[in-house]
Amino acid sequence: MTDTTDMTDLDDEFKDARSDLHVVLPHSNGIPTDTTPSVEIDTPVADDRPHVLAKNFFSDDAPSEDEIDVDDSMTSTPQVQQVSIEPSTHTTVIALAGSARDDDDDDEDDDDDDDLKDAELTPLAAQGEAEASSSMSSISNSPMMKPKRKTRAKMPHYVDTYVDPVGSSDTDSSTSDLPHGLKRKRSPSATRRRVHPPIIPTMRHIKSRRNLKTGYVYDIFMSFHANLHPYDLHPEDPRRIFYIYRQMQEEGLLASCQRIPIVKPTSSDITTVHTKDHLRQLQATQHMTRKELLHLERNGDSLYVNGHTYESSLYAAGGVIEVCRAVVHDEVKNGFAIVRPPGHHAEPDEFMGFCFLNNVAIATKYCRHKLGVKRVMIVDWDVHFGNGTYEVFKNDEHVLYVSLHRYEDATFYPADENGDYVKFGSSKAAGKMVNVPWPSAGMTDADYMHAFHQIVMPVGHEFNPDLVIVSAGFDAASGDYIGMCHVTPAGYSQMTHMLMGLAGGRLVMALEGGYDLTATAESAAACMKVLVGEPPAPLTIATPSQTAVETVKKVKNVQKLFWRSLGE
C-alpha cells in the first residue's frame, strides 16, 4: 500500500525516499503508480517542492538497453522551465526550476568539440548485488568501513549517443515540448533573468558586506537518490540533508538567511572536470532497469545507484555553483550548500565513494573561468581524503587544496597514496596540494585546531584567495561510526570562524560526508551559526595529542619549501 503522508510542511515529516514500492512527493494526494499525471509545477524557491510522481524503480518494467531511444523527450526532466517574454525588451525570462544554466558562451550544443576548444578551460590530463541480512550487518559491511583500493576499470557503457544532460533551454512558451503532459505555470516572484552580473573588477576593493545575508541551498529532490535495497541501512542516508535542514530550522538559523534557487549545470560546466564518457554513463542510469543498476553497483567502487541518481547529482553540483555565484557577486555574504550525493571522491573518469559528480571541483572551475575569480582555496575536512579533488587540481597553480583526513599508511578509504604528506602537486603547482594525513582514528578538536593554526591559516593567508570553499564532511564528528574521531560542533564552529578571515569573508560550505544523522546535523548547524554572525562555541580540549604534533611537523617540513609562512 502506498503511503501518501501529507508533507506540506517539511518540518512536520520526512518521507523516506527508499520505499520498497515508489516515492510520492508532497501534495501528490495518492496518485496511483500506474498513471502518469498532468501536473502543474512551480519553481522550488520556498519549502514546497514540485509535485512529481516518482517512477517505481524497484521493478523490471523499465525499458531495456535495446529499447532505449535517446532523444530530447527522454532527456527532458520533470522540473519544468517557466518561460515568459518581457514585452518592452523582448527578453526571455526563465524560471529556475530544473532548467539548464544558460550562459552567454553556452549557446551551442554542449557536445560540440569546437565549443569546448573555444572555452577558456584547461583540459585535464587524467581522466555487488548482495541483499542485506539485517540493518546492523549492513552497517558493519559498509564499503566505507572496509577500505578498498581503487580500480581503474571502466564503468559499463550503456548509451552511445551523447545528449545534453539537462535538455534544451527552449524559449518557446508553448507546452508541446514538455514531457508527460506537464504544464508551465507562471510564477513572477520565482523568476529572474538568466544573465550573470558583471564580473567584479577587483575583489580587493569592495564595499561593506556587513548588511548581506547568509545564503543556502536545499532541495528535497536530492533525497530521491536512494539505495535499491529497501531494508539496507546505508551510511549515505537520503535523510542526511533533511536532518541538517530541520536542525537549522529548529534553531532559527534559516529565518534570517536567503534561500538560493538551484540551477542545474550544463554539460559544458560538468565537462570542465569530468570526461564526456563519465557524463554519458551517469546520464544512462536514469533509463536503466533494476538489473542494470545492480550490475553497475556491483562493479563500482563503494556506490549505490537508482533512477534518480543522475538528476540528484545535477541538483547537488548546481546548488554549489549557485551559492558560489551569489557569494562572488555579493548577493550574499557567505553560504551553505546542503546537498547530496557528495562529490570529493569523484574523479574525472570514475564514480566512487558515494560520489558521482565532483560538486566542489565543478563549482571551482565555474568560478575561475566564468566569474573571473583568480584564486580559490578549498579546505577539505571530511575524514576521507578527497582523491577526486586532488586529481582535478594537482596541476593548477590557481587552486590551493588543503585536506585533513585519516590516512593510516594508505589503508583508510580511499587508500590513495596521493593523500600522504609528501604529495604536494605537480612541479607547476608545487605546494598547492597540502595534505594533513592523520595516522589513526580518535583525533580531537585540539588536534584540528593545531593543524589550523600551524598550517591551514598561515598557508591560506599567504595564498590570499578570492574565495574559500569548504568540502564540509562531518564524518570526523564525535559519534560518527565510520570516521571514529572526536571533533565536536564547537570544533567545527572554530574552524569556520578562522576561515571567515580569508577572502574578505567569501566562504562557501558544501556538504560532503557525515553518516551519524544527529552528529552531522548538529555540526552543520554549528557552522551555520558562525556564518550568520554568531561567535564560535568555546572548546573544552586545548592540548593537541603527540600524534597530531608529529604529523603537523612532518607536513611543515615538506611544505615550508613552498610557503614562507611555514619556515622556521
Side-chain angles (χ1 to χ4, degrees):
M1 178 175 294
T2 304
D3 183 3
T4 56
T5 305
D6 185 10
M7 291 181 56
T8 302
D9 185 351
L10 290 182
D11 295 326
D12 292 341
E13 185 139 4
F14 176 79
K15 174 68 177 177
D16 193 346
R18 298 172 299 173
S19 168
D20 57 341
L21 294 177
H22 70 283
V23 181
V24 179
L25 275 102
H27 313 295
S28 59
N29 298 323
I31 300 174
T33 59
D34 57 350
T35 62
T36 303
S38 174
V39 184
E40 288 190 347
I41 294 181
D42 203 350
T43 308
V45 296
D47 291 348
D48 51 329
R49 268 300 309 158
H51 319 322
V52 183
L53 182 65
K55 184 177 179 181
N56 179 3
F57 283 91
F58 300 104
S59 68
D60 291 324
D61 296 334
S64 65
E65 177 185 352
D66 295 333
E67 296 172 333
I68 295 176
D69 181 16
V70 180
D71 54 30
D72 290 340
S73 64
M74 295 187 69
T75 56
S76 299
T77 62
Q79 291 68 37
V80 182
Q81 310 103 301
Q82 300 170 19
V83 179
S84 62
I85 305 295
E86 184 176 300
S88 60
T89 61
H90 300 286
T91 302
T92 302
V93 181
I94 306 175
L96 298 179
S99 56
R101 184 175 285 99
D102 186 15
D103 296 311
D104 294 338
D105 53 332
D106 290 333
D107 293 334
E108 303 295 332
D109 290 339
D110 294 319
D111 58 341
D112 192 338
D113 292 337
D114 293 334
D115 184 57
L116 291 176
K117 291 178 182 178
D118 294 337
E120 298 178 5
L121 305 174
T122 303
L124 299 172
Q127 318 249 60
E129 181 176 10
E131 299 293 341
S133 58
S134 67
S135 296
M136 293 306 298
S137 64
S138 300
I139 295 175
S140 61
N141 292 324
S142 166
M144 281 294 201
M145 299 292 287
K146 295 184 177 181
K148 177 179 178 181
R149 291 190 178 272
K150 298 186 301 180
T151 59
R152 295 291 177 177
K154 294 291 184 180
M155 295 286 186
H157 190 81
Y158 292 93
V159 177
D160 295 327
T161 304
Y162 178 72
V163 181
D164 186 348
V166 292
S168 63
S169 55
D170 194 349
T171 59
D172 185 1
S173 59
S174 68
T175 59
S176 59
D177 61 324
L178 302 182
H180 309 303
L182 298 175
K183 301 176 182 179
R184 291 191 175 94
K185 180 179 178 181
R186 294 179 60 86
S187 180
S189 62
T191 60
R192 65 174 173 85
R193 296 182 188 277
R194 290 210 163 243
V195 178
H196 287 290
I199 295 176
I200 300 174
T202 171
M203 301 187 73
R204 294 293 179 271
H205 304 88
I206 58 175
K207 63 181 181 180
S208 173
R209 306 174 75 246
R210 69 182 64 179
N211 295 325
L212 296 177
K213 294 182 178 181
T214 294
Y216 73 99
V217 295
Y218 168 80
D219 199 301
I220 197 173
F221 189 89
M222 288 178 282
S223 296
F224 275 43
H225 163 63
N227 196 350
L228 283 172
H229 309 284
Y231 302 108
D232 184 1
L233 186 61
H234 196 280
E236 212 285 280
D237 195 310
R239 296 173 295 172
R240 293 169 63 236
I241 58 174
F242 174 74
Y243 269 65
I244 293 174
Y245 176 75
R246 185 178 64 180
Q247 184 76 27
M248 292 180 179
Q249 282 278 41
E250 290 177 349
E251 297 192 26
L253 298 173
L254 301 184
S256 61
C257 295
Q258 178 177 327
R259 186 166 184 173
I260 301 171
I262 294 178
V263 182
K264 292 183 290 185
T266 64
S267 60
S268 63
D269 295 331
I270 296 170
T271 53
T272 60
V273 170
H274 298 286
T275 64
K276 285 187 176 182
D277 188 58
H278 180 97
L279 183 56
R280 292 189 190 103
Q281 293 168 20
L282 180 58
Q283 183 184 11
T285 60
Q286 61 187 330
H287 306 301
M288 290 182 184
T289 64
R290 176 183 171 87
K291 183 177 180 180
E292 290 171 329
L293 291 168
L294 290 172
H295 175 76
L296 181 62
E297 181 179 313
R298 285 196 308 269
N299 289 276
D301 184 348
S302 301
L303 297 173
Y304 69 76
V305 290
N306 73 352
H308 297 293
T309 298
Y310 167 70
E311 193 78 4
S312 298
S313 299
L314 292 182
Y315 269 75
V320 180
I321 288 177
E322 286 303 298
V323 177
C324 289
R325 182 198 57 75
V327 169
V328 168
H329 287 295
D330 285 344
E331 296 174 14
V332 296
K333 63 181 177 181
N334 49 43
F336 200 122
I338 311 172
V339 298
R340 67 175 292 272
H344 71 153
H345 291 308
E347 297 196 348
D349 58 353
E350 185 175 359
F351 316 130
M352 61 181 295
F354 312 158
C355 303
F356 300 89
L357 297 179
N358 197 315
N359 308 319
V360 168
I362 292 171
T364 299
K365 290 280 190 177
Y366 187 89
C367 292
R368 287 266 301 113
H369 299 297
K370 293 188 177 181
L371 301 183
V373 176
K374 294 181 179 180
R375 292 179 296 278
V376 179
M377 179 181 183
I378 301 172
V379 178
D380 189 341
W381 65 43
D382 189 284
V383 79
H384 302 94
F385 171 58
N387 55 289
T389 309
Y390 183 99
E391 191 67 27
V392 172
F393 294 113
K394 65 182 180 182
N395 300 313
D396 194 333
E397 59 186 324
H398 302 288
V399 177
L400 170 63
Y401 177 66
V402 182
S403 178
L404 303 93
H405 52 268
R406 281 180 61 185
Y407 181 64
E408 301 170 28
D409 293 326
T411 60
F412 191 72
Y413 193 91
D416 191 324
E417 293 181 355
N418 283 330
D420 200 2
Y421 69 91
V422 298
K423 301 293 184 177
F424 48 77
S426 68
S427 58
K428 178 182 177 181
K432 298 303 188 297
M433 302 288 109
V434 181
N435 290 319
V436 182
W438 302 129
S440 64
M443 310 310 290
T444 66
D445 289 341
D447 299 330
Y448 276 78
M449 290 301 102
H450 182 65
F452 260 66
H453 285 298
Q454 294 293 315
I455 298 173
V456 180
M457 296 311 297
V459 170
H461 283 294
E462 187 174 343
F463 182 67
N464 195 19
D466 300 314
L467 176 68
V468 178
I469 306 177
V470 180
S471 278
F474 296 104
D475 39 7
S478 182
D480 192 283
Y481 56 91
I482 290 180
M484 301 297 290
C485 288
H486 304 294
V487 181
T488 67
Y492 284 115
S493 71
Q494 290 283 346
M495 291 188 285
T496 303
H497 179 71
M498 284 189 276
L499 292 176
M500 287 178 66
L502 300 172
R506 288 185 172 88
L507 175 64
V508 173
M509 309 192 74
L511 181 65
E512 295 285 359
Y515 307 106
D516 181 273
L517 296 176
T518 301
T520 297
E522 292 177 349
S523 299
C527 295
M528 192 62 150
K529 288 179 181 178
V530 176
L531 293 180
V532 300
E534 295 185 18
L539 299 175
T540 57
I541 302 177
T543 305
S545 65
Q546 187 61 33
T547 298
V549 172
E550 293 174 356
T551 300
V552 167
K553 184 177 180 179
K554 292 178 181 178
V555 176
K556 291 181 69 174
N557 284 338
V558 172
Q559 293 292 337
K560 70 181 181 181
L561 301 174
F562 315 108
W563 302 100
R564 293 180 180 178
S565 57
L566 300 183
E568 297 178 357

